[in-house]
Amino acid sequence: MAESIESTTDVLIIGAGPSGLMAAYWMARYGVNARVIDKRGTKIFRGHADGLRSRTLELLDSMGVAQRVLQEGCEMFSMTNWAPDETGELRRQGTTYMELHPPYAIVALNQGRIERFLLDAIKEHSSLEVERGVLAESFEYDEGLENNPQAYPITLKLRTLSEKEASPAPRHGFSDKFLHHLLKADDLKDAVQHRRNKVGTVETLKARYVIGCDGAHSWTRKQLNIPFEGSTTDHIWGVIDIVPITNYPDMRRAGTVANTSGTILIIPREENIVRIYVPLQEEFEVLREFDRSAVTLESIRQRVKKILSPFHFDFRICFWWTVYQVGRRIAQTNAKGRVYLAGDAVHTHSPKIGMGMNMSMQDGFNIGWKVALVAKGLAHPSIIDTYKSERYPLAEMLIDFDRQWSAFFLQQEQQNEGPAQAKLAAMRDILRKTEQFAQGHTSYYCASPLVCKQSKTVAQHLSPGEKLLPVRLRSQANGVPLWTTRLLESDGRFRILLLTGDLRSKQQAGRVWACGERLAGLCKQLISEKEKPESIVDIKAIHSAPYEAVELNMFPSIVHHFDEVEGCDLTKVWCDGACDWGQESDGKGYETWGVNRLRGALIVMRPDQYIGWMGELEDVADLTCYFRGILVESETRSLL
Amino acid sequence: MAESIESTTDVLIIGAGPSGLMAAYWMARYGVNARVIDKRGTKIFRGHADGLRSRTLELLDSMGVAQRVLQEGCEMFSMTNWAPDETGELRRQGTTYMELHPPYAIVALNQGRIERFLLDAIKEHSSLEVERGVLAESFEYDEGLENNPQAYPITLKLRTLSEKEASPAPRHGFSDKFLHHLLKADDLKDAVQHRRNKVGTVETLKARYVIGCDGAHSWTRKQLNIPFEGSTTDHIWGVIDIVPITNYPDMRRAGTVANTSGTILIIPREENIVRIYVPLQEEFEVLREFDRSAVTLESIRQRVKKILSPFHFDFRICFWWTVYQVGRRIAQTNAKGRVYLAGDAVHTHSPKIGMGMNMSMQDGFNIGWKVALVAKGLAHPSIIDTYKSERYPLAEMLIDFDRQWSAFFLQQEQQNEGPAQAKLAAMRDILRKTEQFAQGHTSYYCASPLVCKQSKTVAQHLSPGEKLLPVRLRSQANGVPLWTTRLLESDGRFRILLLTGDLRSKQQAGRVWACGERLAGLCKQLISEKEKPESIVDIKAIHSAPYEAVELNMFPSIVHHFDEVEGCDLTKVWCDGACDWGQESDGKGYETWGVNRLRGALIVMRPDQYIGWMGELEDVADLTCYFRGILVESETRSLL
């Protein structure tokens, strides 16, 4: 007899792919009572997405796992382009170097490893575990409860699947199991299916919030009756993750080979794996004449052979392959009531642009902390509305971007008699125009309680709603330089950056100490005495004087934070000074941000490392208003 | 009833501390039939050693774990020195910057985490597991079998201990268990005691080789009747790993505070932990009057308070503490028959010099690959003799170094009325003189079958028996720069560095291709057709032309190594060219090594990343002799 269980949770995350795990990370950091389910019996080990853009790496750095990505992944900062020359011979036409945004370039690494790192980060901070082989089967939403933050408006039935039900259908001639011996040692424990409940158990779960991260065919989206608009294109592509046997010289360089018979995209990956995207139709072959079900690994091999000819190409090891028809769809919204959609459930497009996983992870990162803060009763429920206003426009831009980029690829193929140099110039042009968006460095987050657009321009190169430009600072406590992407840890707290300017000036020191007093008052208002000091807002000072010219006691006590058990926090004062060792710092952080080196500024970072507010050292009253718009009064909180 | 078992193993490692795990790493990489036992029921989680010198970090990089050390540990590249000024006020007298050897400075991190990384590296490459709670109880050695490499001259009895027997006696007022909740998530599984056999089981184990890494009180050393010579000094020190509550401004900077009442040494560590070494005797108090058993955490606290006064000092959290009487002892030898000693079993000294764990790890690293190669039947048993000739003189130097350094500390204390600047100058002088040895950058390995001292000086700044000076090279396959410490992986193979010089010169290209032919012939001799190609020797090419100026097909086929399944190995050609992205490379590797940029050279690295042989591209016959002196003929090997 199958068991039945009834339970409640504050937050349910459906789907444990990259977007679901990013959201789950916040549940772990905030200690939210949360559940994470996935219908698959195991995590992914190979294939699927594989490109991490530099902004995503910055976020992973703030979560403490970027160095694992770098250690295993394949860095990419240029694209080589091959095409036939005037005589018809295939030649390297040139190399396009991407505009770089230190500290990170693009890194290619399979999604399975990225999930590993996210799972480990979650484990480091909580006992939250992904429940695999669990299927959400029914959904009810009680609108009457929607405005009561304490209520559980969502009721779901979850069924524990058998191992067979929870395993994806094996692809013809391709067994997932034969590659298990190639798993990394730390993935092995996840290759075995575990169940929390007995197979067949049906659990009735009531949730306060649900985040649907369940992919392009999202079950959650369907329950909400949210249309998924768009269409599939006429183009069928194959993707293979292989170990190449070839004399094509640029097999470890990312790039395109545009031959008369089609254009392939090559993405070198971890170890000796290479991913190749290849169009499967012959020239002018239209879709209705193309039999997708007839595609085999063999037919993909033959297409790549033809395009790379006269170079030799073959493979014996294939880790993963798939066939897809380029679809471009967007959900009509990413939020309905207290249910939110993230990742592929909101937007699908061509995988070739290397953005899907990045947008998805950033979706999960954006919704996660907001839901967590509200579920913990710390923030006003209205802040969750910013998920839609911040992420939905980006989903639309993503679809536009994919349209442009795919049109370019198509045009290239149709004009394959044209001069290669002109094509290359056209591609570079697109790359340049879309770079900031594609890499995730510009986010366009609009005005909201979380983003104060009326901020003073105390930092000419920074804007509320955008990221902090990464710089390397030195710890004043010990002189070791560190990138701000690592220093500003995504630990769940808002962060006030007190840019003190140059404390050698007595007048400036006076401003800074006065600001310190005001910030102390602000913290007293924000955090009640029953709560752990600094639990919601962390303050870091960044000064502009030389490292040797100041001492820690020149800074107001608010940035030392004395604790009876742990003493002073010595990680709070940083120097924008030059250091030529290790991760060298150039001492130009203030210049990068456009901040006056004498006068400094106040900058507030949201928990997700986006700028929320900026002002002068005197503007703490305005800053207080900013926080009042977000956080529940501390007296009210203690009633929860 | 206790069970009894009989079994055999090729290699037994006794003791799973840093030296034992370094040796075990090689067993994992070579796939040796080996066992590792430790009498303690769990690994270490806190306290004990904590300083990693830069050479040790280079070796950890070649094992793939250096980035984990950097992520968690505390980097150190200077020492601040405090002493009373003329008016008697405690002041910072100055900062001594260490001579830096990129890529690594010193990193402070507790031994428990370093063991974690080594255990993970072992697991990544094998199923070898440390058997904990196992005590070696009896030892027999059959000299008659010593010269038969296939025989098992050593017989031991191993007893499986109960949890109580395998737990160290709890220190008064200090429970190991209360700190378990502070363990890192990945250490948790090791906090529970596991046993392979039932408690009380006695196993009679026959071994071909034994490596005793069982510490200062080494059981193995006692079985061999090897005297442990030296003495304890009159000095009693306390060590505490604490979270400081203090207004002393340099608590996160490594340094000394030499007050009238004594000199403490401060070592900042991971997170907010600080280690402090403090002399416990009052001035002029002689040893016989000092009651060591009366030392408590409280009395240590008071000593530190007094020395740091007038600064405030206290702590509420103590992770670990101990008291030690400085002992300086050396075993009369580190090898007897087919039993070898490594680490503290050979040398003990003052922990303050931050060398113990480093020397121990390097001992284990040195003996491990030699025993493994011989146990696998690949190398002549005589190569193991080099363990003694290479490591024993270093143990002697270590003891000398400790004597000098301790004398300095003592002198400082006795002359505590002298001018602080003079003391500082004296300390800097010692630091400078001993730097190369202390950091492990000079190893003085003598001539042997493994070190050909008659090598031509084709690289003016390199010597056989020493390390390769680290440089950053770019992968010719994709342009990404990498330090040689990471590139030259400690995977168990000898490595021939074919420094091709500048291939744009036709004459040089001719020399390189001719050398490639000769190296192909050498590989054919060294590795039989039944063995995996490249299983014993790996060849990497490093050229000096600009990255864009050459193509992979300009290199002889020996550095592409075509494999029917995996295709060409594209990790074998490297460029000494400049790159200004990420881990920037300066393109000055040839200059760092002192190699002619046109003509190049041949350099052979031993599996442990020390230079074994050097020569011109024409000297492959001489190189063949070098390998013949080490490796068993491939025909003989196949008989094994």
Side-chain angles (χ1 to χ4, degrees), chain A residues 64 71 92 245 252-253 272 476-478 551 564 566, chain B residues 64 71 92 245 252-253 272 476-478 551 564 566:
Chain A
Q71 173 89 353
R92 188 191 293 130
I245 301 170
R252 293 295 313 166
R253 300 182 191 181
N272 54 2
Q476 186 62 32
N478 72 2
E551 297 287 341
E564 285 188 355
E566 309 215 354
Chain B
Q71 174 88 356
R92 189 190 293 128
I245 301 170
R252 293 296 312 165
R253 302 183 190 181
N272 55 1
Q476 187 62 33
N478 71 2
E551 296 287 340
E564 286 186 358
E566 310 215 356

PDB file of all heavy atoms in Angstrom, chain A residues 64 71 92 245 252-253 272 476-478 551 564 566, chain B residues 64 71 92 245 252-253 272 476-478 551 564 566:
ATOM      1  N   GLY A  64      31.341  31.461  -3.608  1.00  0.00           N
ATOM      2  CA  GLY A  64      32.508  30.676  -3.196  1.00  0.00           C
ATOM      3  C   GLY A  64      32.860  29.498  -4.085  1.00  0.00           C
ATOM      4  O   GLY A  64      33.669  28.655  -3.683  1.00  0.00           O
ATOM      5  N   GLN A  71      39.062  25.685 -12.219  1.00  0.00           N
ATOM      6  CA  GLN A  71      39.977  24.542 -12.122  1.00  0.00           C
ATOM      7  C   GLN A  71      39.596  23.456 -13.131  1.00  0.00           C
ATOM      8  O   GLN A  71      40.457  22.829 -13.722  1.00  0.00           O
ATOM      9  CB  GLN A  71      39.924  23.974 -10.690  1.00  0.00           C
ATOM     10  CG  GLN A  71      40.685  22.682 -10.468  1.00  0.00           C
ATOM     11  CD  GLN A  71      42.133  22.924 -10.070  1.00  0.00           C
ATOM     12  OE1 GLN A  71      42.614  24.055 -10.070  1.00  0.00           O
ATOM     13  NE2 GLN A  71      42.842  21.858  -9.739  1.00  0.00           N
ATOM     14  N   ARG A  92      41.803  29.709 -41.902  1.00  0.00           N
ATOM     15  CA  ARG A  92      41.503  30.552 -40.739  1.00  0.00           C
ATOM     16  C   ARG A  92      41.456  31.992 -41.228  1.00  0.00           C
ATOM     17  O   ARG A  92      42.442  32.543 -41.706  1.00  0.00           O
ATOM     18  CB  ARG A  92      42.583  30.375 -39.673  1.00  0.00           C
ATOM     19  CG  ARG A  92      42.245  31.060 -38.338  1.00  0.00           C
ATOM     20  CD  ARG A  92      43.442  31.094 -37.398  1.00  0.00           C
ATOM     21  NE  ARG A  92      43.849  29.787 -36.927  1.00  0.00           N
ATOM     22  CZ  ARG A  92      45.099  29.322 -36.972  1.00  0.00           C
ATOM     23  NH1 ARG A  92      46.062  30.065 -37.468  1.00  0.00           N
ATOM     24  NH2 ARG A  92      45.386  28.129 -36.524  1.00  0.00           N
ATOM     25  N   ILE A 245      38.829  13.152 -33.158  1.00  0.00           N
ATOM     26  CA  ILE A 245      40.001  12.587 -33.827  1.00  0.00           C
ATOM     27  C   ILE A 245      40.097  13.373 -35.124  1.00  0.00           C
ATOM     28  O   ILE A 245      39.286  13.189 -36.036  1.00  0.00           O
ATOM     29  CB  ILE A 245      39.806  11.082 -34.105  1.00  0.00           C
ATOM     30  CG1 ILE A 245      39.568  10.353 -32.776  1.00  0.00           C
ATOM     31  CG2 ILE A 245      41.008  10.503 -34.839  1.00  0.00           C
ATOM     32  CD1 ILE A 245      39.128   8.896 -32.943  1.00  0.00           C
ATOM     33  N   ARG A 252      40.809  23.027 -30.290  1.00  0.00           N
ATOM     34  CA  ARG A 252      40.745  23.499 -28.898  1.00  0.00           C
ATOM     35  C   ARG A 252      40.519  25.014 -28.824  1.00  0.00           C
ATOM     36  O   ARG A 252      40.700  25.619 -27.768  1.00  0.00           O
ATOM     37  CB  ARG A 252      42.017  23.142 -28.121  1.00  0.00           C
ATOM     38  CG  ARG A 252      42.271  21.674 -27.863  1.00  0.00           C
ATOM     39  CD  ARG A 252      41.305  20.937 -26.988  1.00  0.00           C
ATOM     40  NE  ARG A 252      40.928  21.551 -25.747  1.00  0.00           N
ATOM     41  CZ  ARG A 252      39.881  21.147 -25.014  1.00  0.00           C
ATOM     42  NH1 ARG A 252      39.114  20.129 -25.419  1.00  0.00           N
ATOM     43  NH2 ARG A 252      39.577  21.738 -23.886  1.00  0.00           N
ATOM     44  N   ARG A 253      40.162  25.617 -29.973  1.00  0.00           N
ATOM     45  CA  ARG A 253      39.847  27.046 -29.941  1.00  0.00           C
ATOM     46  C   ARG A 253      38.378  27.212 -30.305  1.00  0.00           C
ATOM     47  O   ARG A 253      37.918  26.659 -31.309  1.00  0.00           O
ATOM     48  CB  ARG A 253      40.703  27.817 -30.948  1.00  0.00           C
ATOM     49  CG  ARG A 253      42.189  27.674 -30.677  1.00  0.00           C
ATOM     50  CD  ARG A 253      43.045  28.487 -31.642  1.00  0.00           C
ATOM     51  NE  ARG A 253      44.448  28.088 -31.489  1.00  0.00           N
ATOM     52  CZ  ARG A 253      45.468  28.610 -32.166  1.00  0.00           C
ATOM     53  NH1 ARG A 253      45.252  29.560 -33.066  1.00  0.00           N
ATOM     54  NH2 ARG A 253      46.696  28.189 -31.953  1.00  0.00           N
ATOM     55  N   ASN A 272      39.425  16.612 -22.576  1.00  0.00           N
ATOM     56  CA  ASN A 272      39.622  16.658 -24.032  1.00  0.00           C
ATOM     57  C   ASN A 272      38.295  16.614 -24.786  1.00  0.00           C
ATOM     58  O   ASN A 272      38.233  16.215 -25.940  1.00  0.00           O
ATOM     59  CB  ASN A 272      40.558  15.531 -24.482  1.00  0.00           C
ATOM     60  CG  ASN A 272      40.073  14.168 -24.007  1.00  0.00           C
ATOM     61  OD1 ASN A 272      39.012  14.077 -23.378  1.00  0.00           O
ATOM     62  ND2 ASN A 272      40.823  13.137 -24.311  1.00  0.00           N
ATOM     63  N   GLN A 476      42.802  45.749   4.799  1.00  0.00           N
ATOM     64  CA  GLN A 476      43.631  46.624   5.638  1.00  0.00           C
ATOM     65  C   GLN A 476      44.208  45.824   6.805  1.00  0.00           C
ATOM     66  O   GLN A 476      45.273  46.143   7.312  1.00  0.00           O
ATOM     67  CB  GLN A 476      42.815  47.815   6.148  1.00  0.00           C
ATOM     68  CG  GLN A 476      43.631  48.850   6.905  1.00  0.00           C
ATOM     69  CD  GLN A 476      44.719  49.503   6.039  1.00  0.00           C
ATOM     70  OE1 GLN A 476      44.550  49.665   4.830  1.00  0.00           O
ATOM     71  NE2 GLN A 476      45.859  49.843   6.629  1.00  0.00           N
ATOM     72  N   ALA A 477      43.535  44.762   7.189  1.00  0.00           N
ATOM     73  CA  ALA A 477      44.008  43.960   8.313  1.00  0.00           C
ATOM     74  C   ALA A 477      45.291  43.205   7.989  1.00  0.00           C
ATOM     75  O   ALA A 477      46.144  43.019   8.841  1.00  0.00           O
ATOM     76  CB  ALA A 477      42.937  42.987   8.780  1.00  0.00           C
ATOM     77  N   ASN A 478      45.437  42.744   6.747  1.00  0.00           N
ATOM     78  CA  ASN A 478      46.662  41.975   6.456  1.00  0.00           C
ATOM     79  C   ASN A 478      47.300  42.226   5.100  1.00  0.00           C
ATOM     80  O   ASN A 478      48.290  41.596   4.765  1.00  0.00           O
ATOM     81  CB  ASN A 478      46.428  40.474   6.676  1.00  0.00           C
ATOM     82  CG  ASN A 478      45.540  39.860   5.609  1.00  0.00           C
ATOM     83  OD1 ASN A 478      45.119  40.542   4.671  1.00  0.00           O
ATOM     84  ND2 ASN A 478      45.250  38.590   5.747  1.00  0.00           N
ATOM     85  N   GLU A 551      45.664  53.318   9.946  1.00  0.00           N
ATOM     86  CA  GLU A 551      45.557  52.213  10.896  1.00  0.00           C
ATOM     87  C   GLU A 551      44.078  51.917  11.118  1.00  0.00           C
ATOM     88  O   GLU A 551      43.223  52.783  10.926  1.00  0.00           O
ATOM     89  CB  GLU A 551      46.201  52.592  12.239  1.00  0.00           C
ATOM     90  CG  GLU A 551      47.698  52.860  12.162  1.00  0.00           C
ATOM     91  CD  GLU A 551      48.528  51.592  11.975  1.00  0.00           C
ATOM     92  OE1 GLU A 551      48.018  50.485  12.248  1.00  0.00           O
ATOM     93  OE2 GLU A 551      49.688  51.717  11.536  1.00  0.00           O
ATOM     94  N   GLU A 564      31.280  40.032  21.639  1.00  0.00           N
ATOM     95  CA  GLU A 564      31.863  39.550  22.896  1.00  0.00           C
ATOM     96  C   GLU A 564      32.581  38.223  22.764  1.00  0.00           C
ATOM     97  O   GLU A 564      33.488  37.922  23.531  1.00  0.00           O
ATOM     98  CB  GLU A 564      30.773  39.422  23.959  1.00  0.00           C
ATOM     99  CG  GLU A 564      30.343  40.764  24.502  1.00  0.00           C
ATOM    100  CD  GLU A 564      29.413  40.614  25.687  1.00  0.00           C
ATOM    101  OE1 GLU A 564      29.054  39.465  25.991  1.00  0.00           O
ATOM    102  OE2 GLU A 564      29.046  41.642  26.291  1.00  0.00           O
ATOM    103  N   GLU A 566      33.519  36.795  19.480  1.00  0.00           N
ATOM    104  CA  GLU A 566      34.428  36.733  18.331  1.00  0.00           C
ATOM    105  C   GLU A 566      35.350  37.943  18.207  1.00  0.00           C
ATOM    106  O   GLU A 566      36.131  38.027  17.254  1.00  0.00           O
ATOM    107  CB  GLU A 566      33.605  36.550  17.047  1.00  0.00           C
ATOM    108  CG  GLU A 566      32.616  35.398  17.169  1.00  0.00           C
ATOM    109  CD  GLU A 566      32.410  34.631  15.879  1.00  0.00           C
ATOM    110  OE1 GLU A 566      32.936  35.041  14.838  1.00  0.00           O
ATOM    111  OE2 GLU A 566      31.705  33.606  15.931  1.00  0.00           O
TER     112      GLU A 566
ATOM    113  N   GLY B  64      46.869  19.050  -8.102  1.00  0.00           N
ATOM    114  CA  GLY B  64      45.533  19.574  -8.404  1.00  0.00           C
ATOM    115  C   GLY B  64      44.768  20.138  -7.217  1.00  0.00           C
ATOM    116  O   GLY B  64      43.572  20.375  -7.324  1.00  0.00           O
ATOM    117  N   GLN B  71      41.871  28.989  -1.521  1.00  0.00           N
ATOM    118  CA  GLN B  71      40.498  29.417  -1.273  1.00  0.00           C
ATOM    119  C   GLN B  71      40.209  29.486   0.222  1.00  0.00           C
ATOM    120  O   GLN B  71      39.507  30.373   0.680  1.00  0.00           O
ATOM    121  CB  GLN B  71      39.535  28.434  -1.963  1.00  0.00           C
ATOM    122  CG  GLN B  71      38.059  28.645  -1.681  1.00  0.00           C
ATOM    123  CD  GLN B  71      37.407  29.628  -2.654  1.00  0.00           C
ATOM    124  OE1 GLN B  71      38.061  30.207  -3.500  1.00  0.00           O
ATOM    125  NE2 GLN B  71      36.106  29.804  -2.535  1.00  0.00           N
ATOM    126  N   ARG B  92      55.064  49.147  16.513  1.00  0.00           N
ATOM    127  CA  ARG B  92      55.434  48.401  15.308  1.00  0.00           C
ATOM    128  C   ARG B  92      56.789  48.929  14.845  1.00  0.00           C
ATOM    129  O   ARG B  92      56.918  50.106  14.510  1.00  0.00           O
ATOM    130  CB  ARG B  92      54.378  48.610  14.217  1.00  0.00           C
ATOM    131  CG  ARG B  92      54.573  47.705  13.010  1.00  0.00           C
ATOM    132  CD  ARG B  92      53.673  48.104  11.841  1.00  0.00           C
ATOM    133  NE  ARG B  92      52.258  47.909  12.099  1.00  0.00           N
ATOM    134  CZ  ARG B  92      51.330  48.852  11.923  1.00  0.00           C
ATOM    135  NH1 ARG B  92      51.648  50.051  11.493  1.00  0.00           N
ATOM    136  NH2 ARG B  92      50.053  48.592  12.168  1.00  0.00           N
ATOM    137  N   ILE B 245      40.074  38.398  20.931  1.00  0.00           N
ATOM    138  CA  ILE B 245      39.325  39.601  21.300  1.00  0.00           C
ATOM    139  C   ILE B 245      40.391  40.586  21.746  1.00  0.00           C
ATOM    140  O   ILE B 245      40.969  40.435  22.821  1.00  0.00           O
ATOM    141  CB  ILE B 245      38.336  39.299  22.450  1.00  0.00           C
ATOM    142  CG1 ILE B 245      37.357  38.197  22.012  1.00  0.00           C
ATOM    143  CG2 ILE B 245      37.576  40.565  22.861  1.00  0.00           C
ATOM    144  CD1 ILE B 245      36.494  37.657  23.140  1.00  0.00           C
ATOM    145  N   ARG B 252      45.831  40.293  12.371  1.00  0.00           N
ATOM    146  CA  ARG B 252      45.701  39.529  11.118  1.00  0.00           C
ATOM    147  C   ARG B 252      46.981  39.608  10.283  1.00  0.00           C
ATOM    148  O   ARG B 252      46.974  39.261   9.097  1.00  0.00           O
ATOM    149  CB  ARG B 252      44.514  40.014  10.280  1.00  0.00           C
ATOM    150  CG  ARG B 252      43.123  39.781  10.834  1.00  0.00           C
ATOM    151  CD  ARG B 252      42.666  38.358  11.011  1.00  0.00           C
ATOM    152  NE  ARG B 252      42.852  37.460   9.920  1.00  0.00           N
ATOM    153  CZ  ARG B 252      42.758  36.123  10.028  1.00  0.00           C
ATOM    154  NH1 ARG B 252      42.446  35.565  11.192  1.00  0.00           N
ATOM    155  NH2 ARG B 252      42.945  35.348   8.998  1.00  0.00           N
ATOM    156  N   ARG B 253      48.060  40.110  10.893  1.00  0.00           N
ATOM    157  CA  ARG B 253      49.338  40.131  10.168  1.00  0.00           C
ATOM    158  C   ARG B 253      50.307  39.217  10.898  1.00  0.00           C
ATOM    159  O   ARG B 253      50.467  39.312  12.118  1.00  0.00           O
ATOM    160  CB  ARG B 253      49.916  41.552  10.119  1.00  0.00           C
ATOM    161  CG  ARG B 253      48.972  42.541   9.460  1.00  0.00           C
ATOM    162  CD  ARG B 253      49.579  43.922   9.360  1.00  0.00           C
ATOM    163  NE  ARG B 253      48.540  44.880   8.934  1.00  0.00           N
ATOM    164  CZ  ARG B 253      48.738  46.174   8.732  1.00  0.00           C
ATOM    165  NH1 ARG B 253      49.932  46.681   8.903  1.00  0.00           N
ATOM    166  NH2 ARG B 253      47.746  46.953   8.346  1.00  0.00           N
ATOM    167  N   ASN B 272      38.480  33.447  11.048  1.00  0.00           N
ATOM    168  CA  ASN B 272      38.968  34.452  11.994  1.00  0.00           C
ATOM    169  C   ASN B 272      39.855  33.847  13.084  1.00  0.00           C
ATOM    170  O   ASN B 272      40.013  34.395  14.161  1.00  0.00           O
ATOM    171  CB  ASN B 272      37.790  35.234  12.615  1.00  0.00           C
ATOM    172  CG  ASN B 272      36.786  34.282  13.262  1.00  0.00           C
ATOM    173  OD1 ASN B 272      36.989  33.065  13.260  1.00  0.00           O
ATOM    174  ND2 ASN B 272      35.720  34.824  13.830  1.00  0.00           N
ATOM    175  N   GLN B 476      49.472  26.131 -26.802  1.00  0.00           N
ATOM    176  CA  GLN B 476      49.446  26.474 -28.228  1.00  0.00           C
ATOM    177  C   GLN B 476      48.089  26.092 -28.830  1.00  0.00           C
ATOM    178  O   GLN B 476      47.635  26.709 -29.791  1.00  0.00           O
ATOM    179  CB  GLN B 476      50.580  25.770 -28.979  1.00  0.00           C
ATOM    180  CG  GLN B 476      50.733  26.192 -30.441  1.00  0.00           C
ATOM    181  CD  GLN B 476      51.073  27.679 -30.597  1.00  0.00           C
ATOM    182  OE1 GLN B 476      51.755  28.277 -29.766  1.00  0.00           O
ATOM    183  NE2 GLN B 476      50.562  28.299 -31.661  1.00  0.00           N
ATOM    184  N   ALA B 477      47.422  25.119 -28.250  1.00  0.00           N
ATOM    185  CA  ALA B 477      46.132  24.686 -28.788  1.00  0.00           C
ATOM    186  C   ALA B 477      45.046  25.736 -28.599  1.00  0.00           C
ATOM    187  O   ALA B 477      44.175  25.882 -29.441  1.00  0.00           O
ATOM    188  CB  ALA B 477      45.705  23.369 -28.142  1.00  0.00           C
ATOM    189  N   ASN B 478      45.084  26.483 -27.478  1.00  0.00           N
ATOM    190  CA  ASN B 478      44.001  27.459 -27.310  1.00  0.00           C
ATOM    191  C   ASN B 478      44.399  28.794 -26.712  1.00  0.00           C
ATOM    192  O   ASN B 478      43.550  29.652 -26.497  1.00  0.00           O
ATOM    193  CB  ASN B 478      42.842  26.847 -26.499  1.00  0.00           C
ATOM    194  CG  ASN B 478      43.197  26.644 -25.042  1.00  0.00           C
ATOM    195  OD1 ASN B 478      44.289  26.990 -24.607  1.00  0.00           O
ATOM    196  ND2 ASN B 478      42.281  26.082 -24.284  1.00  0.00           N
ATOM    197  N   GLU B 551      52.123  26.920 -35.974  1.00  0.00           N
ATOM    198  CA  GLU B 551      50.936  26.060 -35.980  1.00  0.00           C
ATOM    199  C   GLU B 551      51.328  24.714 -35.389  1.00  0.00           C
ATOM    200  O   GLU B 551      52.504  24.329 -35.417  1.00  0.00           O
ATOM    201  CB  GLU B 551      50.424  25.872 -37.407  1.00  0.00           C
ATOM    202  CG  GLU B 551      49.937  27.148 -38.081  1.00  0.00           C
ATOM    203  CD  GLU B 551      48.599  27.662 -37.534  1.00  0.00           C
ATOM    204  OE1 GLU B 551      47.858  26.848 -36.920  1.00  0.00           O
ATOM    205  OE2 GLU B 551      48.311  28.853 -37.707  1.00  0.00           O
ATOM    206  N   GLU B 564      44.065   6.111 -31.268  1.00  0.00           N
ATOM    207  CA  GLU B 564      42.924   5.758 -32.119  1.00  0.00           C
ATOM    208  C   GLU B 564      41.578   6.136 -31.513  1.00  0.00           C
ATOM    209  O   GLU B 564      40.612   6.351 -32.229  1.00  0.00           O
ATOM    210  CB  GLU B 564      42.938   4.249 -32.421  1.00  0.00           C
ATOM    211  CG  GLU B 564      44.001   3.886 -33.419  1.00  0.00           C
ATOM    212  CD  GLU B 564      43.912   2.428 -33.832  1.00  0.00           C
ATOM    213  OE1 GLU B 564      43.034   1.719 -33.280  1.00  0.00           O
ATOM    214  OE2 GLU B 564      44.699   2.017 -34.686  1.00  0.00           O
ATOM    215  N   GLU B 566      41.255   8.468 -28.683  1.00  0.00           N
ATOM    216  CA  GLU B 566      41.213   9.835 -28.166  1.00  0.00           C
ATOM    217  C   GLU B 566      41.770  10.887 -29.116  1.00  0.00           C
ATOM    218  O   GLU B 566      41.826  12.075 -28.780  1.00  0.00           O
ATOM    219  CB  GLU B 566      41.942   9.897 -26.815  1.00  0.00           C
ATOM    220  CG  GLU B 566      41.469   8.816 -25.860  1.00  0.00           C
ATOM    221  CD  GLU B 566      41.454   9.257 -24.415  1.00  0.00           C
ATOM    222  OE1 GLU B 566      41.884  10.377 -24.124  1.00  0.00           O
ATOM    223  OE2 GLU B 566      41.003   8.459 -23.584  1.00  0.00           O
TER     224      GLU B 566
END
